[in-house]
Amino acid sequence: MSRLTGVLHTAYGSLFGWLAWCAVQSVRNHALWACAAFAAGSCFVLVAVIREGDLADARRREAVRAQRDTHLHPADASAAAAAVALAGWCCTAWAATAGAEHDPACRHRGPRNNAA
């Protein structure tokens, strides 16, 4: 938990305590409408604390995911090797015939040489 988060949680706790105290004092003075307002404010502070915790968890998960993505897994390495091999193919016919033939539209297709 960062220092700012700790300060924020302390501020939330202080605000919650103050609103709860105001709600109790409102009941003592028979101002039920004010008590309801202070109780609703207290609920909003609780929602803010819960949301802050959820955001901290999401930041932690994202940091772990980013760290995990920087390291190549064996499956990722083989996929990268396959992508490099595919990038070297000039056409699908060349890949299927192990370099013996080219597609009609392939730029590497040249005149057939029957010198053999």
Side-chain angles (χ1 to χ4, degrees):
M1 186 162 65
S2 71
R3 184 176 181 197
L4 181 62
T5 304
V7 170
L8 191 59
H9 279 131
T10 302
Y12 283 148
S14 299
L15 181 60
F16 179 79
W18 180 73
L19 287 172
W21 183 80
C22 288
V24 169
Q25 294 305 316
S26 298
V27 168
R28 283 186 175 177
N29 292 317
H30 305 291
L32 296 179
W33 64 271
C35 176
F38 288 126
S42 297
C43 290
F44 286 135
V45 171
L46 287 177
V47 168
V49 168
I50 292 169
R51 186 169 188 270
E52 190 71 28
D54 289 346
L55 288 174
D57 290 342
R59 282 192 301 266
R60 262 187 248 113
R61 280 193 307 269
E62 198 60 37
V64 167
R65 184 177 297 130
Q67 183 181 13
R68 191 179 310 142
D69 288 346
T70 60
H71 302 297
L72 279 179
H73 297 287
D76 295 338
S78 63
V84 168
L86 287 173
W89 290 357
C90 61
C91 61
T92 55
W94 180 84
T97 61
E101 296 179 10
H102 292 277
D103 285 336
C106 182
R107 62 185 168 97
H108 295 290
R109 183 173 187 236
R112 286 210 160 212
N113 189 357
N114 289 335

